[in-house]
Amino acid sequence: MAVLSHLSRVTLMGAIIAGGVLALAATPASADPYSLPIASSGPVVLPPVADDGTIAARELAAQVGLPQFTSPNWRPGQVRHIVMFRYKSSATAAMRAEITSRFLRLVQDSRRPDGTHPVKSIEMGVQNSGEGADAGLQQAFVVTFASEGDRNFYVGKPVIMDPAWFDPAHEAFKAFAAPAIEKVVVFDFDVLVSASLGSAGHKSASHKANSQTRR
């Protein structure tokens, strides 16, 4: 009966990924993210980390303190968080659709204890380049934040290990999606410069006030 209920929910959701085509119907969140059993009690065990960027971010967080490091006012300015997936061959279309739906719902499910939302927007697409440089990645999400502090709170692990200072909904999503994902690539950047064509067709560029590259 539980299996039939799950299949019915997936069918009603109207999300199908097949042959690189995705159709999604908006669905409300099915559970309160703060009621999910995602933050274990007891001492936190830090996994070994070899990545210099992660080590540097942990050191910065320890230096300034987690309340400041995850504050919405910490290093304000637009931040892009790009996530790309390659699914395992065992991942069915229904599994991919559910992962996609849950990721997109983080725009509303992700929130701080005071109810504010760190995520400003989430965009999604499937790989359709013919250049042969996709490294086998199949799907991408672009998450936009208004500050590095919002990004830090949303991302959490492996930089922040204290569940009091990271987003429980995002952590729950990572635990749900991990069994179906073969490879994940993540690339974050502050939007320092943007260029676009103005209304008269002339190229214009805007620069962030502080163009210093920061982690």
Side-chain angles (χ1 to χ4, degrees):
M1 182 63 69
V3 173
L4 290 176
S5 176
H6 175 73
L7 290 176
S8 297
R9 182 166 59 84
V10 171
T11 301
L12 290 174
M13 182 179 65
I16 301 173
I17 296 181
V21 178
L22 174 69
L24 265 177
T27 56
S30 58
D32 179 354
Y34 279 82
S35 70
L36 300 175
I38 53 179
S40 60
S41 58
V44 174
V45 178
L46 297 178
V49 174
D51 182 77
D52 290 341
T54 300
I55 293 173
R58 283 184 175 178
E59 291 176 348
L60 178 59
Q63 177 184 349
V64 304
L66 291 180
Q68 182 176 355
F69 189 70
T70 61
S71 166
N73 298 320
W74 172 250
R75 292 181 171 175
Q78 200 168 67
V79 179
R80 306 283 195 212
H81 173 72
I82 303 174
V83 182
M84 291 173 282
F85 290 159
R86 180 168 71 225
Y87 289 97
K88 293 179 180 178
S89 58
S90 58
T92 64
M95 291 168 63
R96 297 184 187 194
E98 180 68 9
I99 288 170
T100 300
S101 180
R102 290 190 183 211
F103 200 132
L104 292 174
R105 286 208 305 264
L106 286 173
V107 76
Q108 65 187 34
D109 289 348
S110 178
R111 65 181 186 270
R112 296 175 179 275
D114 64 3
T116 58
H117 298 273
V119 177
K120 297 306 176 187
S121 67
I122 301 177
E123 301 166 282
M124 186 283 302
V126 293
Q127 203 293 123
N128 65 3
S129 170
E131 298 179 78
D134 52 73
L137 297 164
Q138 299 165 304
Q139 186 178 23
F141 297 83
V142 180
V143 187
T144 299
F145 304 94
S147 70
E148 288 190 23
D150 279 339
R151 185 277 313 274
N152 296 341
F153 177 81
Y154 168 85
V155 171
K157 297 178 182 180
V159 176
I160 301 170
M161 306 302 292
D162 185 342
W165 299 104
F166 63 68
D167 176 29
H170 183 223
E171 194 62 27
F173 167 78
K174 288 189 287 185
F176 175 82
I181 305 297
E182 183 176 289
K183 181 178 182 180
V184 179
V185 173
V186 178
F187 189 94
D188 290 5
F189 66 93
D190 293 337
V191 180
L192 302 179
V193 180
S194 63
S196 62
L197 290 175
S199 58
H202 298 295
K203 183 178 179 180
S204 62
S206 60
H207 297 258
K208 189 174 179 180
N210 182 1
S211 60
Q212 180 181 2
T213 301
R214 304 172 306 189
R215 172 85 186 166

